[in-house]
Structures are given as structure tokens and as C-alpha cells.
């Protein structure tokens, strides 16, 4: 018997958990200004993340899905997309979204239970956060199809979790993207957990990246806690797509250090010791070690950045808390582009029962 | 023994086809299995084989004849040496009877399919297939349609052609409009609705997809989010169940959930409801399902003219529209206006037939039943008003109420199941808004509350018939 066809899945890491850089790392990937920008973005994401959880715990936010420990994935992607590209995010992707121009206030308004938080002032073409798992992959493939049809040099990027890679949408979308070679990049944030279901219970495949092979799409693995490698891989895939090279699936290996969402308590189903060990590989400390060793980062700069981030988050929280509740009409305003006359009675009825000035009455 | 060779059907819904050519001549000897002729439909070509040994004594329908009704005798095979007179009419044997008529007759008067008189006509005059070319829907629309100016030229057009033209016109008008679905391009549509679109617009705008309703509906929704105007064809709406998450959760809700940022101008279209003999999983009417969903518009045209005007409006609509067609109606013809830009507004019903005594409300193929029932009722002195909803969501309830205020009696007709159906909604709205005008309870004529039977006789019993509509109309009139 001979080998008919064989495949391999490449894995990329430049920066080790100990903060040591692979000497083969391309020079452009470790430009000081670039690395400092990535570091600031990850720190900013984490500062926002921590405050959002605190708001939820004090009853000021509905639910929140933390990206703790996975900041390099969103930042790696968000830092290399162009403004005209489209991001189709899941609920754990504020790291990327903040770099796209979504504001912290918008994200807080969203998690506070208000659709106005998805009406972004800046990334006007980005899709709203998709909570149903995996459905946004097909949407992103559709956006990519639109770019190809209109011959626009734009790329659609979507981020899913390891659980999302088990959905029918994942395979359907990847399969179509492979057939039509649309400019699509699918990133799996493999944080090892789909709520309480561990990675090995989601799929028997050795990697999730190899699922790309079944769709005729290029797939690779990257250390999702190494922002240098993460950005490098994302950039290569996005620019390949932009140049007509077709779709890519990237499996970014990370670990969900926090709970699934604020409605979850992960200590009930996973070993705290493993979480502590995984925390040692987290992306921000890793990059700080490297930057410090290279003489690019100091304790003073760290303190100043922490203060800047905290101040920005506090301003966002104040603005969020000062956001007036929606008027009764909000539930009708964007149901259709123009409200059908047949709904006039329901609209008027809602007006009659609504307390003046919004709120819960 | 003399055997009639009948025009065969390629599928249970085929009603006519072209006899492309004869491969044997009169007088040729044939044995079982010999290919004697080729027939064509718009979907496929098929060989006709002799099933008996003998002589091809007479060719009754010449090669090249179009629109030959299924079960029309096309040739006579005799035993060798047997003679048939040149003027002798082909003998009518039980085997020659159309299968529909072979089904056990239900206790009450059977619904007469619109095509039946034609088949009879074709059988009586087999040598004149051209006469059967048109397949007009039972009663032609007698009432002026407000959207059509009085001096407009009307030409007969099938619903299939009308839908195709609507798509082609909108694709010419707007580069963002494209068609996506299974078999829409090379194969020209599973029901040939997208005929010629690939040739005119190319494979990037007429897109054959892998077999994944979930996938291509989701992709189409994403393309709409990104500014295209997809026409997403489901081979039938039965398969749209695979994709219902994208229709209900993605398409219908994203404008709302994005605070108005991302809209979804998409049309989901395809045949809905029962065709003929395609059984429980391929015969479902989803009108009520989609009509329940906020954020969707739902359209279900009853004739070619409406199909064209409504589909063009649906394609231009900035919201997601579920466009429910009907396979039985695809091949039927109606007078259709020859207008540059013929649009029928979504959300407006039409009076398909004016009347004073009872209001019959329906949509899609149900309107055909209602118009037939109204004709029959008129012979008994009952003038039924037929309200064709055209759009199910937003529903033109005022049009129903106005009619009921005039007649005082209302029957809602649909193929779908009764519970929580369109008729249930109509009954609720009529009693809410016209209770004092009612002289009788609102009745519903619906499909039976069962999966669609495969057996022809049971299928017929499970679907609402003209007789059912007549009976319900008489019941609300206490006659």
C-alpha cells in the first residue's frame, strides 16, 4: 500500500511561555513600536474585562463573557485587519472589537441588555456579536462572497470557539468557502472548554485545524498565547485572502482562565491546579518578560499604562451607567426598516403602558 | 390485441411534455424494451419503450408535438397481422384512464384539478396537441388589479416564467441582486424557475451551492449583511427547515439586534406546500410557521401576475422576505401585464372576485380552490367574495374586515394544518374586529391534521378541496 494523500498541520510559536523568542522570528514581527502597541492593547482588554466582571457581580451588568488569558487572539487579529474588512465576532471577542473601533461604552451597553450597544459608531460594517454558536461563520463566508462578487479587496474574519468547530455551520461554511475560495479567515479560539465540555469531548481529531483539510482549506495551528505568532499568522492569512489566495482556518491554542460567562462557575467542573498551571502561559506576562528583557518596557511604563487603562475604563463605566434606558419605541424601531402599518396598534398599546422617560416603571 | 401507448410522466407533478421524436415508423415491428420515441420536458429527456411485442400500427401524435398531456394515447401497437382502420378512434381501456381518476372517489364530490378538463380534451383530439398548449388556471382573474393601468397589454404567462422574469429584471436593474441555491444555475432550477439566468448573468451571480441549506442560507444572510441582495432559492421549503435558524434567528432579528446598523435585504423563495405524490416530508405548508416571526415578511402569490409584481417588490424590500411559491401553480398561465416596472406592494390583499354573500379568504393555491368554489356557488345563487391575501405578514386584515362587514360570513382556506394556522389567525382577527357584523362563526377549511399521505387517494383526502370550500360556505350561510 502506498500513501494516497497526506496532510500536515503546521504549528507556529515565536515567543515561549518563559518569554524567550525563537531566533527565527521574522524581524518585522518584533518591531518595537508594534510590540508595544500589542502589549498596550492586551492590557487594555484585560483591564476592561476585569471591570466588566466586577460590574456584573455588583448587579450593574447583565452577563459578561470574559476573555481572560485569551487577549492575544483578539489583539493579534484586530491589530492586523484593515478598517474596510469585516469582523463577525462571537461573544468573547472584545479584544479584537476594541481594536476595530468598538468603544467600551458600546460593549457595556450591549452586555447591559441594550441593542444600541451593537450600533457601532466606527466599525459600521462589522457584524454584531453573535451569541448562537457558529452561525456567524456562514455570515462571514457570505460577506466574503460579497467582497469577491464586487471585486473588493476586503476580507471577512470570524472568530469562534473550540465548541463552534463542532457545529454544522462550521463545516458548511468552510466547505463553501473552499469551493468558492472566498476571502475568509476563520479563527478558532481553542480555549479548551465549551462551557463544561472539555476539548477532547468536542472532537476526536488531534487538532481542530485539520478540519480545514476536509473542506479543501488551508489550516494551521498557532500558539494563541503568543501575540507575536498570533498576529503573524492572522496577517498572513488575511493578506493571502485579500490577494485572492482563498480562505484559511487558524486554530489558536489558548486556555479559558475564567468562567464561561458570569453565569458559570468553572470550579465545579475543572481542576484548579490545571488552571493555575495554564495561567503561567498567559499572553500578557509572557510578552512583558520579553519586552523587559529587551529593555523596551519598565516598571514606570507599566504603572502608567495601568493607570491609563483604569482611567479609560472608569470613564466608560460612568458613561454606560449614565446611559438612559431605552424608550418603549426601541423594540419597534429596528424591527423593520419601516414599521408596517399593521403594527401600529401594538406600538400605540406599548406607548400607553410605558412609563414616561423609559425605565422599568 | 391492440395496446395504446400513453404519454408517460417523468414525475408525479408532470402534466404535459414534448414528444420530441419517433424512433420507429408506422408499420415497424417492435418488441418489449425497444425505444420507440423520445419525450422532453423542460427538466429532462426520456425514452419511451415498447412494453409489448407487435407492430407500431399507428402514430397518433406526431414527432415535435409540444404540450402533450400526460396519459394521452400517442401510438397504437397491434399484434402482428392485426388491422386497425385508419379512422378508428383509439380504444379506451381502463389502463388509459389518468391515475388521478383511478383513485377511489371520496364520498363527497371530488375536487376537479384544473388540468383535468384539458387532459380529457387532449385525449379526445390527440392529433392536435397545439390546442393544449395553454394551461390556463381554472377561472381567469376577472377583476381589475389596482396596480395595473387600464390600457396595459396583458399576455398569458406561467407563474414559472413570471418569477423568472421578475428575477431577471431585478438582476439587470441592481448588480447586488444574485441567486443562490441548489441546482439554480446549470440545471436551471429544480423546477426550472431560474431558466436562462446563468446564461445571462454568469456563475458569480447565479450560484450553484453544495448541498447544505444551513450553509448557503447562512452565507446568503451574511452576503445581505454585507450589502448584497440575495435571492436564496430552496429547492422546496421543506428543506428550509435545515436553515430555519438563519431565517428566524439571523435574517429576521439582526436589524433589531444590531440597533439598526445591519439590515438583511434577502428573499428566501421556493415552492411551499403540497405538490403531488411527494409524501409527508416534501408536502408541508409553512405559511403559518414563518408568519409567526417578527422581522420577516411573508408573501404567497396565487397567480403569475401577482408572483411577478410581488417578487420584484420582495427583492427591493430592505427586509427579509419569505416568498412562498407553489409547485402546482408553476406551470399554470395567467394574463400578466407587460409593464416595464410592475410592482405589487407587499402587505396589500386583493379582491380576486367580488361578492356579497360570503367572504372566502385564502392565499396561494387556496385562491384557485376559492375561485372554483365561487363559480359553483354562483350557479346556486350564492355570490362569494374571494379575498386573496397575497401577503401573509404583514397581513392586510383591514381588507378582510371590510369584506366581512359586507357579507357577514367568512371562510378561511389554506392547505396547512388547522392548529395555529393562517385560518386561525383570520378567525381571531375577524371576531376581534368585526364581531358585530358576523352572522355565523368563521369556519376554516384546512389540510387534515396529519402528515401528508403518499398514497394518491389519501393525499386527496388530506388536502382541502373545492367541495370542502363549497360545503363550508354553505354552512356559514346555513344552507
Amino acid at each position: 500500500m502506498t500513501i494516497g494523500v497526506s496532510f500536515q498541520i503546521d504549528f507556529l510559536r515565536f515567543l515561549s511561555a518563559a518569554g524567550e523568542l525563537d531566533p527565527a522570528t521574522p524581524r518585522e514581527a518584533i518591531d518595537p513600536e508594534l510590540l508595544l502597541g500589542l502589549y498596550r492593547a492586551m492590557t487594555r482588554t484585560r483591564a476592561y474585562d476585569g471591570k466588566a466582571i466586577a460590574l456584573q457581580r455588583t448587579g450593574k451588568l447583565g452577563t459578561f463573557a470574559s476573555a481572560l488569558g485569551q487577549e492575544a487572539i483578539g489583539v493579534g487579529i484586530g491589530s492586523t485587519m484593515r478598517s474596510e474588512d469585516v469582523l463577525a465576532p462571537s461573544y468573547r471577542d472584545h479584544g479584537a472589537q476594541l481594536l476595530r473601533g468598538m468603544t467600551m461604552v458600546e460593549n457595556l451597553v450591549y452586555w447591559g441588555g441594550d441593542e444600541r450597544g451593537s450600533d457601532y459608531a466606527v466599525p459600521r460594517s462589522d457584524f454584531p456579536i453573535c451569541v448562537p454558536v457558529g452561525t456567524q461563520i456562514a455570515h462571514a463566508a457570505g460577506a466574503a462572497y460579497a467582497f469577491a462578487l464586487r471585486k473588493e479587496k476586503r476580507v471577512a474574519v470570524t472568530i469562534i470557539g473550540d465548541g463552534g468547530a463542532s457545529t454544522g455551520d462550521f463545516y458548511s461554511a468552510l466547505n463553501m468557502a473552499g469551493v468558492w475560495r472566498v476571502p475568509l479567515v476563520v479563527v478558532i479560539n481553542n480555549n479548551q472548554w465549551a462551557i463544561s465540555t472539555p476539548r477532547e469531548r468536542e472532537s476526536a481529531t488531534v487538532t481542530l485545524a485539520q478540519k480545514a483539510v476536509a473542506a479543501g482549506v488551508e489550516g494551521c495551528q498557532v500558539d494563541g498565547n503568543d501575540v507575536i505568532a498570533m498576529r503573524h499568522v492572522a496577517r498572513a492569512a488575511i493578506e493571502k485572502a485579500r490577494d485572492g489566495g482563498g480562505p484559511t482556518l487558524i486554530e489558536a491554542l489558548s486556555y479559558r482562565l475564567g468562567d464561561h460567562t458570569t453565569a458559570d462557575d468553572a470550579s465545579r467542573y475543572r481542576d484548579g491546579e490545571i488552571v493555575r498551571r495554564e495561567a503561567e502561559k498567559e499572553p500578557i506576562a509572557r510578552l512583558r518578560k520579553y519586552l523587559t528583557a529587551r529593555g523596551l518596557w519598565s516598571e514606570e511604563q507599566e504603572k502608567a499604562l495601568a493607570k491609563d487603562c483604569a482611567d479609560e475604563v472608569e470613564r466608560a463605566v460612568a458613561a454606560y451607567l449614565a446611559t438612559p434606558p431605552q424608550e418603549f419605541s426601541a423594540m419597534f424601531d429596528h424591527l423593520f426598516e419601516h414599521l408596517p402599518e399593521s403594527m401600529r396598534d401594538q406600538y400605540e398599546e406599548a406607548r400607553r403602558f410605558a412609563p414616561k422617560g423609559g425605565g422599568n416603571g | 390485441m391492440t395496446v395504446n401507448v400513453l404519454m408517460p410522466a417523468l414525475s408525479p407533478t408532470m402534466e404535459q411534455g414534448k414528444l420530441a421524436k419517433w424512433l420507429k415508423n408506422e408499420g415497424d415491428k417492435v418488441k418489449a424494451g425497444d425505444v420507440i420515441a423520445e419525450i422532453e420536458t423542460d427538466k429532462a429527456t426520456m425514452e419511451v419503450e415498447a412494453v409489448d411485442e407487435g407492430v407500431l400500427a399507428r402514430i397518433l401524435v406526431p414527432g415535435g408535438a409540444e404540450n402533450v398531456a400526460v396519459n394521452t394515447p400517442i401510438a397504437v401497437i397491434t399484434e402482428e397481422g392485426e388491422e386497425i382502420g385508419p379512422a378508428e378512434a383509439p380504444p379506451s381501456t381502463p389502463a388509459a384512464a389518468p391515475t388521478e381518476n383511478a383513485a377511489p372517489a371520496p364520498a363527497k364530490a371530488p375536487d376537479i384539478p384544473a388540468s383535468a378538463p384539458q387532459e380529457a380534451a387532449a385525449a379526445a383530439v390527440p392529433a392536435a396537441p397545439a390546442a393544449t398548449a395553454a394551461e390556463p388556471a381554472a377561472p381567469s382573474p376577472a377583476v381589475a388589479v389596482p396596480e395595473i393601468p387600464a390600457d396595459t397589454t396583458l399576455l398569458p404567462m406561467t407563474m414559472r416564467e413570471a418569477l423568472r422574469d421578475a428575477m431577471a429584471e431585478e438582476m439587470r436593474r441592481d448588480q447586488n441582486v444574485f441567486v443562490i441555491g441548489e441546482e439554480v444555475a446549470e440545471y436551471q432550477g429544480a423546477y426550472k424557475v431560474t431558466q436562462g439566468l446563468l446564461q445571462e448573468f454568469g456563475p458569480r451571480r447565479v450560484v450553484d451551492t453544495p448541498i447544505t441549506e444551513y450553509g448557503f442560507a447562512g452565507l446568503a444572510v451574511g452576503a445581505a449583511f454585507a450589502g448584497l441582495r440575495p435571492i436564496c432559492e430552496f429547492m422546496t421549503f421543506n428543506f428550509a427547515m435545515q436553515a430555519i435558524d438563519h431565517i428566524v434567528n439571523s435574517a429576521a432579528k439582526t436589524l433589531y439586534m444590531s440597533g439598526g446598523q445591519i439590515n438583511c435585504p434577502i428573499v428566501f423563495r421556493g415552492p411551499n406546500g403540497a405538490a403531488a405524490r411527494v409524501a409527508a416530508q416534501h408536502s408541508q405548508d409553512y405559511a403559518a410557521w414563518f408568519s409567526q416571526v417578527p422581522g420577516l415578511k411573508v408573501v404567497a402569490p396565487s397567480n403569475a401576475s401577482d408572483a411577478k409584481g410581488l417578487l420584484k417588490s420582495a427583492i427591493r424590500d430592505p427586509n427579509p422576505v419569505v416568498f412562498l411559491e407553489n409547485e402546482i401553480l408553476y406551470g399554470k398561465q395567467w394574463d400578466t401585464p407587460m409593464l416595464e416596472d410592475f410592482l405589487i406592494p407587499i402587505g396589500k390583499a386583493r379582491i380576486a372576485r367580488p361578492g356579497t354573500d360570503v367572504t372566502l379568504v385564502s392565499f396561494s393555491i387556496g385562491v384557485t380552490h376559492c375561485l372554483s368554489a365561487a363559480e359553483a356557488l354562483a350557479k346556486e345563487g350564492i355570490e362569494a367574495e374571494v379575498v386573496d391575501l397575497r401577503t401573509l405578514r404583514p397581513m392586510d386584515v383591514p381588507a378582510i374586515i371590510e369584506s366581512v362587514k359586507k357579507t357577514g360570513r367568512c371562510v378561511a382556506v389554506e392547505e396547512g394544518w388547522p392548529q395555529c394556522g393562517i385560518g386561525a389567525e383570520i378567525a381571531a382577527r375577524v371576531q376581534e374586529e368585526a364581531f358585530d357584523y358576523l352572522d355565523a362563526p368563521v369556519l376554516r377549511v384546512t389540510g387534515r391534521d396529519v402528515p401528508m399521505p403518499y398514497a394518491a387517494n389519501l393525499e386527496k383526502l388530506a388536502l382541502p378541496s373545492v367541495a370542502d370550500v363549497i360545503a363550508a360556505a354553505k354552512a356559514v350561510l346555513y344552507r
Side-chain angles (χ1 to χ4, degrees):
Chain A
M1 201 157 66
T2 57
I3 294 171
V5 186
S6 67
F7 299 95
Q8 70 173 39
I9 297 297
D10 292 335
F11 170 82
L12 190 72
R13 172 193 293 141
F14 290 140
L15 193 63
S16 75
E20 287 155 355
L21 191 74
D22 186 328
T25 308
R27 305 312 298 168
E28 70 271 15
I30 51 167
D31 171 74
E33 279 311 307
L34 170 65
L35 294 188
L36 290 173
L38 296 175
Y39 184 76
R40 288 194 186 98
M42 289 197 293
T43 306
R44 180 172 174 248
T45 301
R46 187 170 293 181
Y48 169 72
D49 201 290
K51 187 65 185 185
I53 293 169
L55 283 174
Q56 194 279 335
R57 296 296 186 230
T58 51
K60 291 174 180 145
L61 201 63
T63 305
F64 185 73
S66 166
L68 184 67
Q70 303 139 75
E71 295 87 350
I73 297 172
V75 167
I77 296 163
S79 65
T80 192
M81 288 177 69
R82 293 192 194 166
S83 57
E84 66 266 29
D85 295 338
V86 161
L87 178 69
S90 83
Y91 43 79
R92 210 184 296 285
D93 299 325
H94 40 278
Q97 290 184 285
L98 288 170
L99 285 174
R100 300 281 303 148
M102 176 194 76
T103 65
M104 291 179 187
V105 184
E106 286 167 344
N107 197 237
L108 290 170
V109 167
Y110 167 81
W111 286 111
D114 187 332
E115 268 68 29
R116 289 175 296 182
S118 295
D119 182 16
Y120 308 124
V122 173
R124 294 298 295 167
S125 298
D126 278 11
F127 294 174
I129 289 169
C130 185
V131 171
V133 171
T135 58
Q136 82 275 21
I137 314 170
H139 302 160
Y145 191 87
F147 302 154
L149 186 67
R150 292 192 298 237
K151 299 190 167 71
E152 296 169 340
K153 290 265 182 192
R154 299 165 73 188
V155 180
V157 180
T158 188
I159 311 171
I160 62 166
D162 36 311
S166 301
T167 64
D169 252 333
F170 171 80
Y171 181 71
S172 289
L174 216 58
N175 187 57
M176 292 185 295
V179 170
W180 296 319
R181 294 181 63 75
V182 294
L184 172 72
V185 176
V186 178
V187 181
I188 304 170
N189 169 357
N190 177 1
N191 66 17
Q192 313 298 329
W193 294 93
I195 309 185
S196 70
T197 306
R199 162 64 184 85
E200 66 270 19
R201 292 282 162 197
E202 281 293 339
S203 175
T205 55
V206 178
T207 69
L208 298 179
Q210 75 200 60
K211 294 189 177 197
V213 174
V217 170
E218 201 178 326
C220 66
Q221 273 191 324
V222 61
D223 184 339
N225 287 357
D226 168 9
V227 74
I228 302 172
M230 184 66 223
R231 183 175 190 278
H232 183 81
V233 166
R235 182 181 181 78
I238 289 169
E239 294 314 311
K240 180 189 82 173
R242 196 183 313 284
D243 293 340
T248 307
L249 175 68
I250 298 169
E251 178 187 4
L253 295 163
S254 187
Y255 198 86
R256 197 189 80 206
L257 294 178
D259 299 322
H260 166 65
T261 67
T262 47
D264 171 43
D265 176 5
S267 69
R268 288 169 180 261
Y269 53 78
R270 66 182 188 182
D271 183 352
E273 187 48 43
I274 295 172
V275 180
R276 274 186 288 281
R277 275 209 306 277
E278 291 292 336
E280 289 169 12
K281 304 177 198 164
E282 66 95 355
I284 297 181
R286 180 187 301 209
L287 183 58
R288 184 166 59 236
K289 277 181 209 160
Y290 172 73
L291 291 174
T292 306
R294 239 180 105 178
L296 293 170
W297 197 247
S298 66
E299 197 58 39
E300 291 70 39
Q301 282 170 299
E302 179 69 22
K303 279 183 189 155
L305 175 62
K307 182 171 186 314
D308 285 351
C309 292
D311 288 350
E312 185 191 2
V313 170
E314 285 309 323
R315 284 195 301 275
V317 170
Y320 158 62
L321 294 175
T323 304
Q326 299 172 93
E327 291 295 330
F328 81 95
S329 58
M331 66 177 127
F332 300 102
D333 286 346
H334 304 300
L335 184 54
F336 293 98
E337 289 281 358
H338 307 287
L339 194 68
E341 198 47 42
S342 62
M343 295 199 66
R344 188 56 53 188
D345 289 352
Q346 292 184 51
Y347 186 92
E348 292 304 328
E349 191 173 79
R351 184 206 295 280
R352 280 201 304 281
F353 285 99
K356 289 230 178 325
N360 297 320
Chain B
M1 181 188 162
T2 304
V3 175
N4 275 351
V5 179
L6 304 180
M7 182 71 176
L10 292 175
S11 72
T13 52
M14 173 176 160
E15 292 174 353
Q16 57 187 25
K18 177 180 178 182
L19 206 168
K21 61 178 170 186
W22 285 100
L23 301 173
K24 299 278 182 190
N25 298 315
E26 283 189 0
D28 285 356
K29 283 185 192 174
V30 293
K31 59 179 189 299
D34 280 357
V35 177
I36 58 171
E38 276 181 13
I39 61 164
E40 276 174 20
T41 65
D42 46 10
K43 288 184 191 174
T45 302
M46 190 175 95
E47 293 172 337
V48 181
E49 295 179 2
V51 289
D52 297 282
E53 197 169 295
V55 175
L56 184 62
R58 189 79 68 237
I59 287 175
L60 302 171
V61 177
E66 307 237 16
N67 304 304
V68 181
V70 167
N71 289 327
T72 305
I74 56 173
V76 181
I77 292 178
T78 57
E79 281 181 53
E80 241 184 304
E82 196 180 346
E83 294 275 323
I84 61 165
E88 190 182 332
S92 178
T93 64
T99 29
E100 275 178 297
N101 295 352
K108 56 190 171 186
D111 177 10
I112 298 157
S115 58
Q118 247 156 324
E119 284 172 18
V125 196
T132 67
E135 195 203 340
S140 64
V143 178
V145 177
E147 294 82 5
I148 305 174
D151 58 347
T152 307
T153 309
L154 300 175
L155 287 178
M157 186 178 265
T158 63
M159 186 180 277
R160 174 182 285 118
E161 292 162 342
L163 292 165
R164 194 215 85 90
D165 283 1
M167 287 188 280
E169 286 175 21
E170 292 306 301
M171 289 177 80
R172 282 175 209 130
R173 181 179 171 270
D174 183 350
Q175 293 291 313
N176 287 317
V177 179
F178 77 109
V179 181
I180 184 167
E182 291 157 2
E183 306 293 344
V184 297
E186 286 295 339
Y187 196 71
Q188 312 278 300
Y191 296 99
K192 303 300 167 197
V193 177
T194 52
Q195 215 153 124
L197 296 184
L198 171 68
Q199 285 66 28
E200 181 172 354
F201 301 103
R204 292 158 70 89
R205 292 180 70 198
V206 185
V207 188
D208 276 334
T209 69
I211 301 180
T212 165
E213 279 77 13
Y214 194 37
F216 71 72
L219 182 138
V221 166
F225 290 170
L228 294 184
R229 289 181 173 266
I231 302 168
C232 176
E233 173 174 312
F234 294 115
M235 198 178 280
T236 86
F237 262 93
N238 300 283
F239 312 150
M241 293 304 95
Q242 303 271 337
I244 198 159
D245 181 52
H246 281 298
I247 302 172
V248 174
N249 268 325
S250 304
K253 293 177 185 164
T254 295
L255 182 67
Y256 173 76
M257 293 191 76
S258 69
Q261 180 174 323
I262 303 276
N263 75 335
C264 189
I266 189 171
V267 177
F268 299 103
R269 53 152 290 271
N272 171 64
R277 308 296 318 282
V278 289
Q281 292 159 326
H282 289 68
S283 302
Q284 192 169 326
D285 178 359
Y286 293 94
W289 288 38
F290 292 113
S291 290
Q292 248 244 328
V293 181
L296 290 182
K297 294 185 179 181
V298 184
V299 176
S302 69
N303 62 72
S305 173
D306 280 8
K308 184 171 181 191
L310 284 164
L311 183 54
K312 283 167 67 76
S313 291
I315 293 166
R316 293 188 197 183
D317 201 286
N319 305 286
V321 180
V322 173
F323 198 92
L324 303 171
E325 298 159 9
N326 185 285
E327 190 189 329
I328 305 277
L329 299 182
Y330 277 154
K332 302 205 186 302
Q333 282 186 336
W334 286 268
D335 285 344
T336 304
M338 297 297 112
L339 289 173
E340 271 300 300
D341 223 6
F342 175 50
L343 296 171
I344 291 178
I346 291 175
K348 290 280 175 237
R350 121 192 126 100
I351 304 300
R353 182 190 196 280
T356 49
D357 302 332
V358 55
T359 299
L360 308 176
V361 188
S362 193
F363 57 94
S364 188
I365 197 169
V367 175
T368 307
H369 301 332
C370 289
L371 289 170
S372 299
E375 292 292 313
L377 289 165
K379 294 193 180 105
E380 299 185 40
I382 298 166
E383 287 303 323
E385 178 148 298
V386 178
V387 178
D388 178 356
L389 288 172
R390 303 206 282 196
T391 300
L392 302 175
R393 181 185 189 90
M395 189 183 283
D396 191 355
V397 175
I400 304 170
I401 299 302
E402 198 183 324
S403 177
V404 171
K405 282 181 177 173
K406 188 167 64 175
T407 63
R409 300 158 205 276
C410 182
V411 174
V413 180
E414 68 189 306
E415 280 195 347
W417 293 313
Q419 181 157 332
C420 306
I422 300 294
E425 174 69 14
I426 291 167
R429 299 300 291 268
V430 169
Q431 66 85 18
E432 279 174 8
E433 297 178 35
F435 187 77
D436 291 339
Y437 293 86
L438 283 174
D439 294 321
V442 177
L443 287 191
R444 290 173 293 164
V445 174
T446 70
R448 307 262 178 266
D449 225 349
V450 298
M452 187 63 68
Y454 189 18
N457 60 331
L458 299 184
E459 180 184 62
K460 203 176 177 70
L461 283 173
L463 284 167
S465 67
V466 174
D468 292 331
V469 180
I470 293 169
K474 287 184 176 172
V476 296
L477 284 156
Y478 301 109
R479 286 174 62 162

